[in-house]
Amino acid sequence: MNIRLLFASFVTIAMLAGCRGGAGSNAIPPAAQPGGAFGSLPAKSVTFAPIGPTHMSDGYPTSGKVNAFAVDPANSKVIYAASGRGTGLETYSSAGILGTTDGGTTWKTLTNGLVDSSGNIASAVNTLWLDPAKPKVLLAGTEYDGIFRTADGGASWTNVYSGGHATQFVSFGNALYATDDAGILTSTDDGKTWTVQLAGSAKQHPTAFGAVSTASGHAFYAGMSNGYIYAFASGKWTKLSRLPFTKQTGTDGSSRLVH
């Protein structure tokens, strides 16, 4: 599914239902799940409306590529959206992070401090994580400049892990984890500082997480740029196996990288 449609669907449903967003992992609101508030409604009775953001840095009245979003669990009208750089099919918006406090009616650019070492805006943002216990605290994983953190709802940002290609965050156990070119990073102070738990390299670095924690058990996995899958248990990462891959698929940019 086109991520712009996915983003619009999640946000619109969240506001129509007046529900609260998920935790840092940004779970789908209950109303959007099968059997939720809209589960029994005929399709024609559910309507969608564009809520923005619009008029980003490319000058066109579109939001371009939306890489991530986060919703304040205490106030569903507070939403953060992160834009990315497309691959030729999306608008090259690359506008960094935007926020709304009125459910999407108006948006404000939140890029104060979201800059690289040259002072340019770190405008391509791959992922956002919001602390559900302290929703003013957000983390942003960027395409080129590592991890940024805000403790004031995006009014100002600080680079807390410089450099690298950060793609995903996950909260598991009593720690936060991030994927970065440097490896699997972990933080125990709400993202203020990070250490490398499993080192990455040019040939292999983490690109995706899969985590679940329920009453019946826990599981945490990491996918790598070269197709290998690692499992986390007892404080360490163990290589499991490699995903099958056909080199020539006819798909532009096809690679072993785990998304």
Side-chain angles (χ1 to χ4, degrees), residues 92-226:
Y92 284 76
S93 55
S94 190
I97 299 169
L98 295 97
T100 176
T101 58
D102 53 19
T105 300
T106 59
W107 292 84
K108 181 180 179 180
T109 301
L110 304 174
T111 55
N112 179 31
L114 190 74
V115 295
D116 62 19
S117 57
S118 300
N120 297 313
I121 295 175
S123 57
V125 181
N126 295 317
T127 183
L128 294 173
W129 181 85
L130 182 149
D131 185 340
K134 294 180 286 184
K136 291 288 186 181
V137 174
L138 288 95
L139 300 173
T142 66
E143 180 75 6
Y144 307 109
D145 304 297
I147 299 171
F148 290 79
R149 183 180 188 271
T150 178
D152 53 19
S156 61
W157 295 87
T158 302
N159 187 269
V160 290
Y161 195 88
S162 61
H165 173 222
T167 57
Q168 193 174 355
F169 298 108
V170 70
S171 175
F172 188 79
N174 296 317
L176 281 172
Y177 297 85
T179 57
D180 186 87
D181 288 346
I184 295 176
L185 310 180
T186 184
S187 172
T188 56
D189 57 8
D190 211 23
K192 293 179 183 177
T193 60
W194 296 85
T195 58
V196 177
Q197 191 174 71
L198 180 69
S201 66
K203 291 185 177 180
Q204 176 180 284
H205 50 271
T207 51
F209 286 136
V212 63
S213 183
T214 68
S216 58
H218 312 276
F220 188 17
Y221 296 92
M224 299 290 171
S225 58
N226 58 359

